[in-house]
Amino acid sequence: MKWAQAGALAVSCVLVLLALPMEGIVQAMRTWTEGLGYWAPLAFSLVYGLAATALIPASALSLAAGAMFGLWTGTAAVWLGGSIAIVLSFLIARYAARDRVEALAGTNPRFAAIDRAIGKQGWKIVALMRLSPVFPFGLQNYLFGVSAIRFWPCCLSSIAFIVPGVFMYVYAGYAGIEAAAAVGGSGTTDMLELGLQIAGLAATVVVTVLVARIAAKAIAEHAPGEVAAQASGRADADASGPKEGSVLKLLIALACLAGALAAYVGRESIHSLFFPPRVVMVERYAGERGTEAFDHSAFGALLARHVDRDGLVDYSALAGDAAVLDEYVRAVGNARFENLGRDGKLALLINAYNAFTLQLVLEHYPIESIYAIPSSDRWDARRWEIAGGRYSLDQIEHVLIRPNFRDDRIHFALVCAALGCPILRREAYRGDAISDQLQRQAEDTHGSGRWFRYDEPAGKVWLTQVYSWYAEDFVQLHGSVLRAASRYSPALWQAMDIGRSIEVEWLPYDWTLNDQALRDAAQLPSAGSPTR
């Protein structure tokens, strides 16, 4: 029965990990913490300590620490957080909520046996229980507070002997995210290194389990009956058959398995909740030359008047030219898309996306971020007309452009009205020049420190999160995110050619409006300084 429960839960965990876009979620968490700089691990430790003190299971946070901070910093952060929880819970149990904790402990005969064992053996039993916990971590912290042991022996032995378990959980999170990155093609870990990491994790688990078994046997020598059986993993067997509790646990495990299986089957829907939809990039219109061209000159003149060299927009002045923008938008709605060639179609769609975004901002201006616009009016609003069809901004990008044009440079041309977005060009894209324009746009965008930085001596590259969100697009065309980015940095390209290990960090994505007025008020630095 126990093996069936364990097997069902293990398979459930694997299916959930496969269903969730774990790498992207962790990268988002990393970006969130990077704003704190060197204080991020300390902030994580504090959150961890408070969560464990509140009896919230901290195993998920331990796994996340390995993914966010790496093996050693993650271990230190979790160890410090666990230490905070140990101290806080002990003090609360002993001085603030002693009666309540004692009443709870009194209902459990195992605690009475443990209390007697601690009275005889002191910190040794505490240390052994930390290696092979009879009770969950958070519960132990409180129960020790009402036992006979003093503060310092309990806390010091606890802090020292939680290390093996902490290291194992953090290692699992670290190896898991490295595996996800290697399989997804967006990481820098090769398969040999990944294999060594997984082997190291397996060895860590084996050693931790062996230590736990030794500790359990030692507890069994000092604690009577029920505690010994629980510590060594043995439950009293009922000769007549499995207990009702075991059957209930198995049913719960099977329910978890069914839920995890459903999540795995619907993993594409889950992915779309967090990140852009996956597409296969193909050239649907390859070879089409078209019978006519679309005139983007009015939009180009508008951009030249109101966009500066840093790609920032003078929205106040643009509002005075709103009639010109509205006329161009109407012309896009009446365009004869089928008569345009391949390049003309792409130019029309990119310009349309950027023009619609400008119009959307003007409708709500003044604002400090596109996120100030209600979500119902933003990227999902199906209101923009192109060649007689009505689409949302997301549909233009994910339905009309990405699946139909095998060119990842589109991600450097679609501008979402934020400082973190690509630089808005001071010209419209044209069908007869779009390849050269996209190349210059990609190079100019990667010249911005908000999008790309490479520290050659340190072997470290900072990339915009666009490379993370659309990693599968870049992998389809170039094999990896790093190889895609290296096209705009000869030094990075050469480093990859000689097999140098490159560390990747994700730049914070600034959703501040790309408004010249905000830039001038905040005295933001120019984005145009080259970093290649």
Side-chain angles (χ1 to χ4, degrees), residues 53-126:
T53 302
L55 295 178
I56 298 172
S59 54
L61 285 175
S62 300
L63 294 171
M68 293 167 61
F69 301 114
L71 182 57
W72 301 112
T73 302
T75 298
V78 172
W79 175 81
L80 179 58
S83 301
I84 292 172
I86 288 169
V87 172
L88 288 179
S89 301
F90 185 97
L91 294 176
I92 291 172
R94 180 146 297 186
Y95 299 109
R98 185 180 183 92
D99 293 341
R100 190 165 185 176
V101 175
E102 282 183 333
L104 176 64
T107 63
N108 193 317
R110 284 182 294 159
F111 175 70
I114 290 173
D115 192 26
R116 288 193 297 272
I118 290 175
K120 295 178 181 179
Q121 299 294 327
W123 66 269
K124 296 178 182 178
I125 292 296
V126 173

Side-chain angles (χ1 to χ4, degrees), residues 63-389:
L63 294 171
M68 293 167 61
F69 301 114
L71 182 57
W72 301 112
T73 302
T75 298
V78 172
W79 175 81
L80 179 58
S83 301
I84 292 172
I86 288 169
V87 172
L88 288 179
S89 301
F90 185 97
L91 294 176
I92 291 172
R94 180 146 297 186
Y95 299 109
R98 185 180 183 92
D99 293 341
R100 190 165 185 176
V101 175
E102 282 183 333
L104 176 64
T107 63
N108 193 317
R110 284 182 294 159
F111 175 70
I114 290 173
D115 192 26
R116 288 193 297 272
I118 290 175
K120 295 178 181 179
Q121 299 294 327
W123 66 269
K124 296 178 182 178
I125 292 296
V126 173
L128 292 171
M129 288 182 62
R130 294 301 187 182
L131 293 173
S132 178
V134 175
F135 291 97
F137 172 75
L139 187 57
Q140 282 190 54
N141 297 336
Y142 282 99
L143 294 182
F144 289 152
V146 296
S147 70
I149 194 169
R150 291 178 299 165
F151 174 79
W152 284 114
C154 177
C155 290
L156 291 179
S157 59
S158 296
I159 289 170
F161 286 89
I162 62 172
V163 172
V166 166
F167 185 77
M168 183 184 69
Y169 273 102
V170 174
Y171 203 151
Y174 167 71
I177 198 61
E178 289 293 308
V183 172
S186 58
T188 59
T189 303
D190 58 35
M191 297 310 294
L192 175 60
E193 185 179 352
L194 177 61
L196 292 175
Q197 290 174 356
I198 294 176
L201 172 61
T204 301
V205 172
V206 170
V207 170
T208 305
V209 170
L210 289 176
V211 170
R213 286 183 176 275
I214 294 171
K217 290 180 181 179
I219 294 175
E221 293 176 0
H222 301 289
E226 275 187 59
V227 179
Q230 180 71 17
S232 58
R234 299 190 304 270
D236 293 334
D238 187 343
S240 63
K243 295 181 179 179
E244 291 183 2
S246 297
V247 175
L248 178 60
K249 290 178 181 178
L250 178 59
L251 291 176
I252 293 174
L254 292 176
C256 291
L257 179 59
L261 182 60
Y264 178 75
V265 172
R267 60 189 180 278
E268 289 299 326
S269 298
I270 295 175
H271 181 277
S272 65
L273 294 176
F274 298 94
F275 302 103
R278 297 184 177 101
V279 302
V280 177
M281 302 181 78
V282 298
E283 280 290 350
R284 180 180 177 186
Y285 308 109
E288 292 188 10
R289 301 182 64 86
T291 58
E292 62 182 67
F294 187 88
D295 184 9
H296 299 283
S297 59
F299 185 51
L302 198 69
L303 294 173
R305 286 196 298 273
H306 302 300
V307 179
D308 66 14
R309 69 182 186 88
D310 291 328
L312 301 183
V313 182
D314 186 347
Y315 284 102
S316 297
L318 179 62
D321 262 346
V324 178
L325 180 60
D326 293 344
E327 180 62 30
Y328 175 75
V329 167
R330 281 192 293 271
V332 168
N334 296 322
R336 292 183 290 190
F337 190 77
E338 67 281 0
N339 293 340
L340 301 176
R342 182 267 182 197
D343 290 349
K345 288 181 169 69
L346 181 56
L348 178 72
L349 293 173
I350 293 175
N351 288 332
Y353 184 97
N354 292 340
F356 296 156
T357 301
L358 291 173
Q359 192 175 60
L360 177 64
V361 172
L362 287 182
E363 291 174 356
H364 297 269
Y365 194 76
I367 53 176
E368 294 187 357
S369 170
I370 194 170
Y371 268 103
I373 300 173
S375 59
S376 58
D377 295 336
R378 206 163 51 223
W379 295 299
D380 293 328
R382 192 171 178 177
R383 50 167 293 194
W384 308 105
E385 294 187 2
I386 300 177

